[in-house]
Amino acid sequence: MMGDKGAGASAIAKASRTKIRIRGYDLCDDLIGKVDFSSFFFMHLTGKMPTENQLFFLNALLVALAEHGLTPSAQAARMTLQAGPDAMQGAVAAGILGCGSVILGSAEDAGRFQGEGVKRVAAGEDRAAVARDMVQGLRDAKKFLPGFGHPIHKPVDPRAVRILELADERGAAGEHVAFLKACAEVADEIYGRSMVMNLNGPLPAVLLDLDFPPAALKGISILCRTAGLIGHCVEELERPIGFRLAHLGDQGTTYDGPNPPEDL
C-alpha cells in the first residue's frame, strides 16, 4: 500500500466478543469504576498510570484551560450550532478547528521552544544566555514568543501565576519551568513592551518536566477546550445567542467595497 511503512500493529486497544483490552488493562474489570478519566487519558497516552504529580497537574491544567468566555472558538461553536442544532459534533468541531498557533494551540509551539532551550542548557550553555539568545532570535525574526502575550490579562495572567505557584509548592518545577522563567526575565526588555506570560507558557513547561509526551501538548489543549465547548453548546440550545453574535459581527464592520447598497 502506498505510504504504508508501519508494522501494521497498535499497542493501544483491541476488542473481542467478550473483552476490551486497553494498554493491557481489562476495561470492565480494571478500569471502569476504578480509575478517573484523567488517569485513563494518561494511561491511554503512555501505557502507564500517572504518578501523583502527573495526575494532579493534568487535572489542574484541564480545568485551567477548559473555559475562557466567548472566545473565537466558543463563538464559532455557538453560531455553527444555530446553523445545525441537531449536529453538536459539527459545532464542537468548528470550535476545535480554531485551535491554532495564536489562540489555544500555542502550547505545542511553546513546548518545542522550551525543549530546544533545555537541550542547549543540558549541553553546557548558560541558561540566562540561552534564553536571551533565543528570545532575541524570535524578536529579530519578528515572530511571537510562544507562551507570552494576552489581549485581556494584564499585567499577569492569573492562570499562569497559579500553575507556577503549584509547580513550586509540589516540587514539580524542573528545567523547562526554569527556562520559561529565564525567558520571562528578558522578554519585556527584548520586545520593548510588557510580555504577559499566558497559560500556554507553564502548561508545556510543567507537563514536560513531568515527562508528558511532547506530541500530546496540543491534544491536551484540545481535550480540555472540548469540555468547555460542549458546555457552550448545551447553553446555546437553552439560551441561544449564536445569531446575535453573528448580527453583532455584521454591525461591527463597515462595507468599503464598490457599489454599496443604497439603503446602507
Side-chain angles (χ1 to χ4, degrees):
M1 184 182 298
M2 184 178 295
D4 185 6
K5 298 180 180 179
S10 170
I12 293 181
K14 193 70 174 179
S16 69
R17 288 184 300 168
T18 59
K19 292 286 184 179
I20 304 102
R21 294 281 182 186
I22 302 174
R23 294 288 194 183
Y25 294 93
D26 185 284
L27 176 62
C28 297
D29 293 342
D30 302 328
L31 301 175
I32 296 176
K34 296 182 179 180
V35 302
D36 58 90
F37 181 75
S38 293
S39 296
F40 173 85
F41 174 65
F42 184 88
M43 180 274 294
H44 191 267
L45 279 178
T46 68
K48 299 178 289 186
M49 286 296 174
T51 65
E52 182 179 348
N53 260 351
Q54 286 170 335
L55 179 59
F56 177 89
F57 281 99
L58 178 56
N59 278 320
L61 288 161
L62 288 174
V63 171
L65 199 57
E67 178 57 56
H68 204 255
L70 287 173
T71 59
S73 59
Q75 292 188 45
R78 295 184 78 133
M79 286 189 282
T80 302
L81 192 65
Q82 280 298 311
D86 57 338
M88 184 184 291
Q89 73 278 13
V92 173
I96 291 302
L97 286 172
C99 178
S101 59
V102 175
I103 297 177
L104 187 60
S106 61
E108 183 178 42
D109 292 335
R112 190 179 299 112
F113 181 80
Q114 294 163 10
E116 181 183 346
V118 168
K119 286 181 181 178
R120 288 179 58 176
V121 174
E125 294 186 63
D126 177 73
R127 181 186 296 117
V130 172
R132 178 173 291 279
D133 178 64
M134 290 181 61
V135 173
Q136 186 67 58
L138 290 178
R139 181 69 178 92
D140 292 344
K142 298 181 179 180
K143 294 182 178 180
F144 290 109
L145 175 57
F148 288 82
H150 203 281
I152 299 174
H153 298 306
K154 301 180 188 302
V156 297
D157 182 336
R159 303 168 302 172
V161 172
R162 183 57 180 149
I163 293 300
L164 289 178
E165 288 175 346
L166 290 170
D168 288 337
E169 290 173 8
R170 297 182 63 90
E175 288 300 313
H176 292 84
V177 169
F179 184 74
L180 171 66
K181 292 179 177 178
C183 291
E185 290 177 0
V186 299
D188 289 3
E189 173 194 342
I190 292 174
Y191 276 82
R193 62 180 186 273
S194 176
M195 295 291 287
V196 178
M197 183 194 299
N198 60 53
L199 182 57
N200 279 319
L203 185 154
V206 173
L207 292 183
L208 291 174
D209 279 340
L210 291 172
D211 298 322
F212 275 72
L217 291 174
K218 181 176 283 189
I220 290 170
S221 299
I222 292 171
L223 175 64
C224 55
R225 191 54 61 92
T226 297
L229 292 176
I230 291 171
H232 276 280
C233 287
V234 170
E235 186 186 61
E236 183 66 24
L237 293 172
E238 300 169 348
R239 305 174 65 188
I241 62 172
F243 285 141
R244 178 177 177 82
L245 292 171
H247 174 72
L248 291 172
D250 182 64
Q251 292 297 304
T253 56
T254 58
Y255 175 80
D256 63 358
N259 300 318
E262 294 180 358
D263 59 348
L264 186 66

Coordinates of all heavy atoms in Angstrom, one line a residue, residues 14 30 44 62-63 72 75 85 98-99 101 105 113 128 143 174 182 186 197 199 240 244 258 260-261:
K14 N -7.8 -3.4 21.8 CA -8.3 -4.5 21.0 C -9.6 -5.0 21.6 O -9.6 -5.2 22.9 CB -7.3 -5.6 20.8 CG -7.7 -6.6 19.7 CD -7.6 -5.9 18.3 CE -7.9 -7.0 17.2 NZ -7.8 -6.4 15.8
D30 N -10.7 -3.8 35.2 CA -9.6 -3.0 35.8 C -9.8 -1.5 35.8 O -9.2 -0.8 36.6 CB -8.3 -3.3 35.0 CG -7.9 -4.7 35.0 OD1 -8.2 -5.4 36.0 OD2 -7.3 -5.2 34.0
H44 N -3.8 5.9 28.5 CA -4.1 5.7 27.1 C -2.9 6.3 26.3 O -2.6 5.7 25.2 CB -5.4 6.4 26.7 CG -5.9 6.0 25.4 ND1 -5.7 6.8 24.3 CD2 -6.7 5.0 25.0 CE1 -6.3 6.2 23.2 NE2 -6.9 5.1 23.6
L62 N -6.3 20.9 32.8 CA -7.5 20.7 32.1 C -8.6 21.6 32.6 O -9.4 22.2 31.8 CB -8.0 19.2 32.3 CG -7.2 18.1 31.6 CD1 -7.7 16.7 32.0 CD2 -7.3 18.3 30.1
V63 N -8.6 21.9 33.9 CA -9.6 22.9 34.5 C -9.2 24.3 34.0 O -10.0 25.1 33.6 CB -9.6 22.8 36.0 CG1 -10.4 23.9 36.6 CG2 -10.2 21.4 36.4
P72 N -13.1 33.1 20.3 CA -13.5 32.8 18.9 C -13.9 31.4 18.8 O -14.9 31.1 18.0 CB -12.2 33.1 18.2 CG -11.5 34.2 18.9 CD -11.8 33.9 20.4
Q75 N -17.5 31.1 20.1 CA -18.4 31.8 19.2 C -18.7 31.0 18.0 O -19.8 30.8 17.5 CB -17.9 33.2 18.9 CG -17.9 34.1 20.0 CD -17.5 35.6 19.6 OE1 -18.1 36.0 18.6 NE2 -16.6 36.2 20.3
P85 N -28.8 22.7 14.6 CA -29.0 22.4 16.0 C -29.0 20.9 16.3 O -28.8 20.5 17.5 CB -30.4 23.0 16.3 CG -30.6 24.0 15.3 CD -29.9 23.5 14.1
G98 N -10.4 26.0 15.4 CA -9.7 27.3 15.8 C -8.6 27.1 16.7 O -8.0 28.1 17.2
C99 N -8.2 25.9 17.0 CA -7.1 25.6 17.9 C -5.8 25.8 17.1 O -5.2 24.8 16.6 CB -7.2 24.2 18.5 SG -5.9 23.7 19.6
S101 N -2.0 28.4 16.3 CA -0.8 28.9 17.0 C -1.0 30.2 17.7 O -0.1 30.5 18.6 CB 0.3 29.0 15.9 OG 0.0 30.0 15.0
G105 N -3.8 26.8 20.8 CA -2.9 25.7 20.4 C -1.4 26.1 20.5 O -0.6 25.3 20.1
F113 N 9.8 25.2 21.8 CA 10.8 26.3 22.1 C 11.5 26.0 23.4 O 12.7 26.1 23.5 CB 10.0 27.6 22.1 CG 10.9 28.8 22.4 CD1 11.6 29.4 21.4 CD2 11.0 29.4 23.7 CE1 12.4 30.5 21.7 CE2 11.8 30.5 24.0 CZ 12.5 31.1 22.9
A128 N 20.6 31.6 31.3 CA 20.2 33.0 31.1 C 20.6 33.5 29.7 O 19.9 34.1 28.9 CB 20.7 33.9 32.1
K143 N 8.8 37.4 15.1 CA 7.9 36.3 15.5 C 7.4 36.5 16.9 O 8.1 37.1 17.7 CB 8.6 35.0 15.3 CG 8.9 34.6 13.9 CD 9.6 33.2 13.8 CE 9.9 32.9 12.3 NZ 10.5 31.5 12.2
G174 N 10.9 21.8 37.0 CA 12.2 21.4 36.6 C 12.9 22.3 35.6 O 12.7 23.5 35.6
A182 N 13.4 32.1 32.9 CA 14.6 32.8 32.3 C 14.1 33.6 31.1 O 14.6 34.8 30.9 CB 15.7 31.9 31.9
V186 N 13.7 38.3 30.5 CA 14.3 39.1 29.4 C 13.3 39.5 28.4 O 13.6 40.4 27.5 CB 15.5 38.4 28.7 CG1 16.6 38.1 29.8 CG2 15.1 37.1 28.1
M197 N 3.1 36.5 30.5 CA 3.2 35.1 30.3 C 1.8 34.6 30.4 O 1.1 34.8 31.4 CB 4.0 34.4 31.4 CG 4.2 32.9 31.2 SD 4.9 32.1 32.7 CE 6.4 32.9 32.9
L199 N -1.1 31.2 29.9 CA -1.2 29.8 30.4 C -0.4 28.9 29.6 O 0.1 27.9 30.1 CB -2.7 29.4 30.5 CG -2.9 28.0 31.1 CD1 -2.3 27.8 32.5 CD2 -4.4 27.7 31.1
P240 N -30.1 30.6 23.3 CA -29.4 30.9 22.1 C -28.9 32.3 22.0 O -29.7 33.3 22.2 CB -30.4 30.6 21.0 CG -31.7 30.7 21.6 CD -31.5 30.3 23.1
R244 N -27.3 36.2 17.4 CA -27.0 37.6 17.9 C -25.5 37.9 17.7 O -25.1 39.0 17.4 CB -27.3 37.7 19.4 CG -27.0 39.0 20.1 CD -27.5 39.0 21.5 NE -27.1 40.3 22.2 CZ -27.7 41.4 22.1 NH1 -28.8 41.5 21.3 NH2 -27.3 42.5 22.7
P258 N -17.1 48.2 -3.7 CA -17.8 49.0 -4.8 C -19.3 48.8 -4.7 O -19.8 47.8 -4.2 CB -17.2 48.5 -6.1 CG -16.8 47.1 -5.8 CD -16.3 47.1 -4.3
P260 N -22.0 50.1 -2.9 CA -22.7 49.8 -1.7 C -24.2 49.9 -1.9 O -24.7 50.6 -2.8 CB -22.2 50.9 -0.7 CG -21.9 52.0 -1.6 CD -21.3 51.4 -2.8
P261 N -25.0 49.1 -1.1 CA -26.5 49.2 -1.2 C -26.9 50.6 -0.9 O -26.4 51.3 -0.1 CB -26.9 48.2 -0.2 CG -25.8 47.3 0.0 CD -24.6 48.1 -0.2

